[in-house]
Amino acid sequence: MTLIVDSVFDLDALLSADEIAWRRKARAFATERILPIIEDDFENKHFRRELIPELAEAGFLGMHITGHGCAGAGPVAYGLVCNELEAADSGWRTFVSVQGSLAMSAIAKHGSEEQKTAWLPRMAAGEVIGCFALTEPAGGSDPAAMTTRAVRDGDDWVIDGAKRWIGLASVAHIAIVWAKDDEGVVRGFIVPTESAGFAATPIDGKLSMRASIQCDVRLEGVRVPESARLPEAKGLSAPFACLNEARYGIVWGAMGAARSCLEAAIERSRGREVFGAPIGSRQLIQAKLADMFVEYEKGMLTALHLGRLKEKGSITPVQISVGKLNSVREALEIAHTSRAILAGDGITDAFPVMRHAANLEAVRTYEGTDEIHQLVIGRELTGMGAFA
Ligand code: TGC
């Protein structure tokens, strides 16, 4: 299926056949498996777990990891998959991000060979679901202030603390838990969620990301062996390396949500008549559509540029911050403008726009708020950190 927005700018000219094939597969999945059920699931706060084996079968879980049963696809292919899934709903892109970019990439980047062999193939197959427990109830912006502790006790570690906003935790089999050791060094642990003292409670009352799960997690005397510690993870740069992966996926994903809103606005403007003519024939509407389209294409080109840098291995955190900040901020703006073009009907679930707008509020906050990314960029430009 070729969309209006695809055909005008011909981004495909910059993609390989393999990348286009991944996009086609993800678009088919999103169209056939997510779109028919997503409004109901969003309304009913339902996470449709039975889709996970299908996502695994499609090769989307940990697809950018090489070896250990993962597809080994390139960063642009992964980005395109995120883009298509989020065009359906941010919740499903989030699932793929949490599983692949956070939980699996923590093991792939920082785990031992035994840990990779034990977990990655089963996670790629969707048999084991992972979550990533970094953020704490006091706030997510300053992970350096985490209070969760891991204390060495003989051959074991005993973990105590609390985490919040942890995607999938109540359905996950393992949690990558980040905690400070006796010396205040951040360490990562693979914690089976069935461990005594581990409890995950879904956060209720969300008006965003309703078709996915985010949890409060309590860790009370959770005991894991030394073999559960990620040996290569030492210091905060370890979880941040995983956040880079997830933020990169968001750069592409948010533009998918934007595209869905823009497509709805274009279609509506062609058919809806006001003052005796289709609204799309009016200059005010065309100016809005044009501005949204320009921002969408700029966002896609930025995502693609970052993808090519990632392919070369030269991408930097500040470059990812530019992309995350821009994509989510512009996607929200596009969602709001599209809602205005749809007028009253735009607030109903007959269109995906309010759902995307609500989801994007969460996406704007997690994996670094707008303000955090502005400050990361500001530090790069001035050489002065202004976080405090
Ligand atoms: P600091 O915090 O002290 O940095 C410590 C070390 O980390 C390094 N670092 C990075 N490394 C790789 N990639 C990055 N993006 C990195 N950012 C920082 C840094 O170089 C340092 O390394 P070293 O070796 O010198 O110790 O200080 P900072 O000034 O570098 O960072 C400050 C700040 C504010 C940028 C950082 O704390 C930050 O990014 N905060 C936002 C954190 C965030 O995104 N939180 C939300 C996470 S979302 C979530 O947890 C939910 S998971 C998703 C789900 O479950 O749905």
Side-chain angles (χ1 to χ4, degrees):
M1 177 185 29
T2 303
L3 302 170
I4 301 162
V5 294
D6 285 349
S7 60
V8 173
F9 214 59
D10 195 16
L11 202 75
D12 286 16
L14 303 174
L15 302 176
S16 70
D18 182 58
E19 288 161 350
I20 291 172
W22 276 103
R23 185 185 63 190
R24 190 179 306 120
K25 185 156 59 161
R27 188 172 291 179
F29 185 90
T31 307
E32 292 160 20
R33 305 298 294 134
I34 302 177
L35 284 182
I37 46 84
I38 193 61
E39 294 299 347
D40 278 353
D41 287 357
F42 190 87
E43 169 76 14
N44 298 319
K45 299 186 272 188
H46 179 55
F47 173 66
R48 197 171 289 263
R49 200 175 164 164
E50 56 270 31
L51 289 186
I52 294 172
E54 297 181 41
L55 285 162
E57 178 69 29
F60 298 153
L61 304 184
M63 64 178 272
H64 49 315
I65 295 170
T66 300
H68 301 286
C70 304
V76 171
Y78 174 61
L80 288 164
V81 168
C82 288
N83 185 259
E84 293 302 329
L85 295 179
E86 195 146 0
D89 193 75
S90 300
W92 282 104
R93 196 272 308 144
T94 297
F95 171 77
V96 167
S97 284
V98 172
Q99 177 81 351
S101 285
L102 293 175
M104 292 175 74
S105 93
I107 297 171
K109 286 177 192 296
H110 309 305
S112 64
E113 206 45 45
E114 293 72 32
Q115 289 168 337
K116 291 177 197 176
T117 305
W119 296 110
L120 292 179
R122 294 164 69 203
M123 294 176 85
E127 294 160 16
V128 169
I129 300 173
C131 65
F132 187 86
L134 174 67
T135 293
E136 301 202 343
S141 290
D142 185 14
M146 75 170 66
T147 59
T148 300
R149 290 288 178 272
V151 174
R152 192 71 198 252
D153 183 24
D155 289 339
D156 293 343
W157 291 86
V158 178
I159 307 174
D160 283 279
K163 302 286 180 179
R164 186 161 165 81
W165 296 115
I166 308 307
L168 307 172
S170 61
V171 296
H173 303 92
I174 57 169
I176 306 299
V177 175
W178 300 96
K180 282 186 182 166
D181 67 13
D182 295 336
E183 290 160 5
V185 177
V186 172
R187 305 280 184 177
F189 300 88
I190 305 172
V191 177
T193 55
E194 62 184 17
S195 303
F198 183 101
T201 310
I203 297 169
D204 205 2
K206 286 181 299 155
L207 300 177
S208 173
M209 306 273 281
R210 287 166 65 89
S212 77
I213 302 171
Q214 285 76 35
C215 295
D216 275 310
V217 169
R218 290 210 64 80
L219 299 131
E220 288 176 352
V222 174
R223 185 172 284 274
V224 291
E226 162 67 4
S227 60
R229 184 174 63 81
L230 296 170
E232 305 303 326
K234 190 172 179 197
L236 260 186
S237 57
F240 282 147
C242 307
L243 290 189
N244 288 339
E245 299 290 336
R247 290 169 177 174
Y248 169 77
I250 292 172
V251 177
W252 286 92
M255 281 295 118
R259 186 191 77 205
S260 168
C261 296
L262 176 55
E263 288 273 332
I266 294 169
E267 195 177 323
R268 174 77 161 202
S269 71
R270 287 172 159 179
R272 173 80 161 178
E273 293 203 4
V274 177
F275 296 116
I279 58 172
S281 68
R282 303 301 193 199
Q283 291 183 2
L284 273 176
I285 297 293
Q286 288 196 7
K288 286 185 173 61
L289 294 176
D291 285 350
M292 288 194 285
F293 180 71
V294 168
E295 288 307 328
Y296 168 71
E297 294 297 355
K298 281 157 64 179
M300 289 297 283
L301 286 171
T302 301
L304 185 57
H305 174 57
L306 294 181
R308 297 296 177 219
L309 291 176
K310 198 165 177 354
E311 234 167 55
K312 284 197 300 182
S314 67
I315 196 167
T316 64
V318 72
Q319 291 168 341
I320 297 173
S321 283
V322 171
K324 201 270 181 181
L325 173 64
N326 180 70
S327 278
V328 185
R329 189 165 61 184
E330 295 308 326
L332 255 170
E333 191 62 33
I334 288 171
H336 294 155
T337 306
S338 298
R339 207 294 306 155
I341 289 174
L342 293 165
D345 293 339
I347 69 163
T348 72
D349 65 6
F351 296 92
V353 176
M354 279 294 278
R355 177 168 51 77
H356 283 307
N359 285 339
L360 286 166
E361 291 293 343
V363 180
R364 182 175 217 167
T365 300
Y366 71 30
E367 311 293 0
T369 61
D370 281 7
E371 293 76 11
I372 285 292
H373 292 296
Q374 286 170 323
L375 294 176
V376 169
I377 297 165
R379 178 174 60 182
E380 185 73 10
L381 296 177
T382 64
M384 291 178 270
F387 298 107

